[in-house]
Amino acid sequence: MKQLHHLVLRHTILFFKDKGRFLTALITPIVLIVLYMTFLGTIYHDSLDSIVKYFDISQKTIDAFVNGYLFSSLLAVSCVTVSFCSNMIMVQDKADHKVKDLLIAPVSQTTLALSYFISTLIITMIINITALIACFIVLGTSHWVLPFKDILYCLFDIFLLTLFGTSLSSIINYFLTTQGQISAVGSIVSAGYGFLCGAYMPISQFTPAVRTFIKFLPGTYGTSLIRNHLLRSLFTKLGTKVPVHIMNEIHQSFDTSFKLMGLTVTQSMMYFIMIGTCAILLLIYISLNHIKKNM
């Protein structure tokens, strides 16, 4: 346990000491913020305003909804993209041949692999919980206070998404060995994941074929979970003034409700998909390291 503790501490400190790597981890959230500030925020504001324009909904409520949508998208993307960046320590050690130095000491391959995984999980949680606190502060300025239960749900959603991102990045980075591969994978994930999870634009705006494909990706449901919990109190507020069929349209338009193969995907099913996916990915990572250990 002492070896594991020191290795986790080493990986974590190395990540935060490298300012370039830290800024790289924040590129996707920064891009998303810029997109919302320049035009996406206005588009979503106008979209919701057009749906509820015949009802007595204040502009402050609409602004709060759009801000909550922004932050849910930002957090959902960060949980995965930051995981890939923080897990680059594992690839960097292989590229610099530091793994051999670490394994010369009485450290097992299993302990080393576990240390990379735990460190990635801790780093990503630190960054995303900090982002969540900033989110609550900004939302608080609009006099929108989340119930304590929803705050706990948001924390659990972030943990699940981070566990998903850590497991996925651990599997992919397991096969990487050079600096060029690190940069390529990081760029692809940063550019593509936001579209695949519905963060850059609502899934309802894609073509039917693309929508169907995205609905089979687990990250989609992690994004929907945190979006539901950040916006639930606002949905309740809107529901007192807006008819049920209009509320259903809002849920469909903003990716908080899904139908897959004609069936409505409940939040319980979303949790089942996310937890099951994390368990499968974690099992694959353990199996890869077990096979390498026995080779």
Side-chain angles (χ1 to χ4, degrees):
M1 287 298 292
K2 186 178 289 187
Q3 293 174 338
L4 180 63
H5 172 264
H6 287 307
L7 285 170
V8 170
L9 194 61
R10 178 238 178 209
H11 306 328
T12 306
I13 291 174
L14 278 178
F15 177 84
F16 286 108
K17 281 182 67 176
D18 189 332
K19 298 298 185 292
R21 187 182 289 118
F22 179 68
L23 290 174
T24 300
L26 299 179
I27 284 178
T28 303
I30 291 171
V31 168
L32 194 56
I33 289 174
V34 171
L35 285 173
Y36 270 85
M37 288 178 64
T38 52
F39 69 96
L40 284 180
T42 303
I43 291 174
Y44 293 144
H45 187 287
D46 293 343
S47 177
L48 181 61
D49 196 31
S50 66
I51 296 174
V52 300
K53 62 182 178 181
Y54 298 112
F55 305 96
D56 184 23
I57 306 297
S58 67
Q59 288 300 308
K60 185 176 289 187
T61 299
I62 295 176
D63 290 340
F65 185 96
V66 173
N67 288 335
Y69 190 89
L70 159 64
F71 280 112
S72 64
S73 300
L74 188 150
L75 290 166
V77 171
S78 295
C79 287
V80 175
T81 57
V82 172
S83 294
F84 272 85
C85 291
S86 56
N87 209 345
M88 286 180 180
I89 296 290
M90 177 174 71
V91 186
Q92 193 67 58
D93 282 349
K94 287 188 285 185
D96 297 338
H97 305 291
K98 291 180 180 178
V99 169
K100 294 180 181 178
D101 296 334
L102 292 170
L103 292 176
I104 288 174
V107 176
S108 68
Q109 177 69 42
T110 302
T111 301
L112 185 59
L114 184 60
S115 70
Y116 287 125
F117 187 93
I118 295 174
S119 175
T120 300
L121 190 66
I122 291 173
I123 292 168
T124 311
M125 283 296 294
I126 289 172
I127 292 174
N128 284 296
I129 288 177
T130 303
L132 182 64
I133 292 171
C135 160
F136 290 153
I137 292 172
V138 172
L139 295 178
T141 60
S142 61
H143 306 289
W144 173 23
V145 180
L146 266 71
F148 183 68
K149 182 172 71 173
D150 286 344
I151 293 175
L152 293 180
Y153 271 122
C154 286
L155 287 171
F156 184 61
D157 296 338
I158 287 176
F159 173 75
L160 268 184
L161 277 163
T162 301
L163 184 61
F164 167 70
T166 301
S167 303
L168 184 62
S169 64
S170 295
I171 293 171
I172 293 176
N173 288 1
Y174 175 88
F175 297 99
L176 307 183
T177 56
T178 67
Q179 186 67 44
Q181 292 171 346
I182 298 173
S183 301
V185 169
S187 299
I188 292 170
V189 171
S190 297
Y193 184 76
F195 286 104
L196 293 177
C197 73
Y200 291 157
M201 60 185 294
I203 296 171
S204 58
Q205 301 299 313
F206 290 106
T207 62
V210 175
R211 284 203 303 270
T212 302
F213 171 73
I214 291 177
K215 288 177 183 178
F216 280 97
L217 301 178
T220 302
Y221 300 103
T223 304
S224 183
L225 282 169
I226 194 167
R227 192 163 284 163
N228 267 290
H229 294 134
L230 264 178
L231 298 174
R232 179 156 59 182
S233 58
L234 281 175
F235 282 134
T236 302
K237 187 175 181 179
L238 288 172
T240 60
K241 300 179 179 181
V242 176
V244 174
H245 70 280
I246 299 294
M247 285 302 300
N248 289 335
E249 183 181 346
I250 293 173
H251 280 291
Q252 292 291 331
S253 299
F254 290 92
D255 300 337
T256 51
S257 178
F258 290 105
K259 281 194 174 182
L260 182 62
M261 301 173 66
L263 299 174
T264 300
V265 183
T266 64
Q267 289 188 30
S268 298
M269 292 171 66
M270 292 180 188
Y271 275 122
F272 179 79
I273 291 169
M274 285 300 299
I275 293 172
T277 301
C278 290
I280 292 170
L281 292 176
L282 187 55
L283 184 61
I284 292 172
Y285 181 62
I286 292 171
S287 300
L288 288 171
N289 283 281
H290 181 71
I291 292 170
K292 185 176 181 179
K293 178 183 176 182
N294 294 329
M295 287 179 64

